[in-house]
Amino acid sequence: MSLSVAVILSEDIVMKYSIALLRGDGIGPEIVDSAVRVLEAVGKKYGHEFNFTPYDIGGIAIDKHGIPLPEETVEGCLKADSVLLGAVGGPKWDTLPGNVRPEKALLGIRAAMNLFTNLRPAKLYPALKGECPLREDIVERGFDIMIVRELTGGIYFGERGMREGRFGEEAYDTECYSRMEIERIVRVAFESARKRSKRLVSIDKANVLDTSRLWRKIVHEIAAEYPDVEVADMLVDNAAMQLVRNPAQFDVIVTTNMFGDILSDEASQITGSIGMLPSASLNETTRGLYEPIHGSAPDIAGQNKANPIATILSAAMMLLYSFNLKKESDAIVNAVDEVLLAGYRTADLAHGAEALSTTEITDKIIERI
Ligand code: NAD
């Protein structure tokens, strides 16, 4: 009797989540499959059911359907609870015209899902301090930064063109931000700061740009709603210096599309380990798109050599941001920490020493879930 009750109870609490898998090209299939195995282990341990449906994107989609982002892929992503992406592109498709290049699919899927927020953590793992290109005393202080970048507005989406000007041929791009666009990304950043160390730095160029002045004004207005979060403004040129001079001073950073593009690449470089960095792109719903920040690494594709950790940590971000499963997300992050502290490395971090394959390091992580 008590056994059947236990069974019914355990059935009651099984939560089901549907995940669209966009494996893509190059190492994409290998690293996504690693993340799937880790999610399955988490599901088994914590009583959740993750259902995966694969869709084509990028080069493989060009080969099979003639276009990088088939309608079926977009529909599948919009139907799923969340989306996990590997990477797209490779030399095979490099000579195609711009509008049918694999990378075009990334912009397409971000637009279709209205992903206006990009979260890019840049963390220096204690076990990987040797990878950091900065001075030893800076490395010793460590850093763990979350960059919140606006992803669907600003200069990349503004009016642009070519024309005849005073000095002949000229080109122009314009930056425009609405109050609505600024408010929604700034709120995401304050919420994110609240969940971390309650420190937020807003980065702009308010000494020159009107868009930045509006940005800064709105940051200050919204700050009044978050008295528990300490907020500071910083000019982008100073921020670029501070990131290498003293990255430990930052926790959450919020900034525009273009500044975020540049600063998040700078931040990822100072961690020294491209195969370790996940990202999340979010909208107003809980459905997000999660992907490693690196590309499809065609030079090592199909060799079971890729570091799957960035994709595995992207899956951990999905558990946290899309499914609100903090304990399960932490279980993945902690398992990765333990594997690194135990000295296990894939080839990209082994510096010629003995390295584990993609599947072997995934096994080590799963053992620690
Ligand atoms: P890349 O990130 O694919 O590779 C750069 C270097 O880092 C390579 O030496 C690669 O072997 C290594 N590397 C990357 N990820 C790794 C991992 N997980 N484990 C071990 N080593 C790893 O960048 P690239 O060479 O400039 O681009 C290759 C292709 O990827 C291009 O077609 C590019 O357009 C595409 N790309 C796609 C995305 C994406 O899908 N989001 C992003 C960037 C580049």
Side-chain angles (χ1 to χ4, degrees), residues 24-25 27 31 85-94 101-103 106 110 274-276 291-301 305-311 346-349 358:
D25 311 311
I27 60 171
I31 54 180
L85 169 73
V88 300
K92 181 175 175 191
W93 305 281
D94 273 354
R101 288 280 293 270
E103 293 78 5
L106 297 176
R110 285 171 192 155
I274 192 172
M276 299 287 304
E291 59 181 315
I293 70 150
H294 58 73
S296 61
D299 49 334
I300 54 165
K305 262 167 67 171
N307 184 347
I309 292 180
T311 316
T346 40
D348 52 317
L349 300 172
T358 310

Side-chain angles (χ1 to χ4, degrees), residues 276-312:
M276 299 287 304
L277 299 174
S279 77
S281 301
L282 308 172
N283 54 28
E284 267 137 350
T285 74
T286 55
R287 186 187 301 110
L289 180 118
Y290 299 83
E291 59 181 315
I293 70 150
H294 58 73
S296 61
D299 49 334
I300 54 165
Q303 299 173 37
N304 199 18
K305 262 167 67 171
N307 184 347
I309 292 180
T311 316
I312 291 170

Side-chain angles (χ1 to χ4, degrees), residues 110-111 114-118 149-160 174-178 180-182 184-185 211 215 255-261:
R110 285 171 192 155
N114 189 27
L115 302 168
F116 64 85
T117 300
N118 186 220
R149 166 188 168 196
E150 201 289 326
L151 202 59
T152 50
I155 196 163
Y156 295 170
F157 291 87
E159 198 189 317
R160 71 189 55 195
T174 49
E175 165 118 325
C176 176
Y177 266 116
S178 67
M180 180 279 287
E181 288 172 305
I182 301 172
R184 67 182 180 182
I185 190 74
T211 41
W215 181 280
T255 192
T256 61
N257 200 344
M258 182 165 70
F259 296 160
D261 187 8

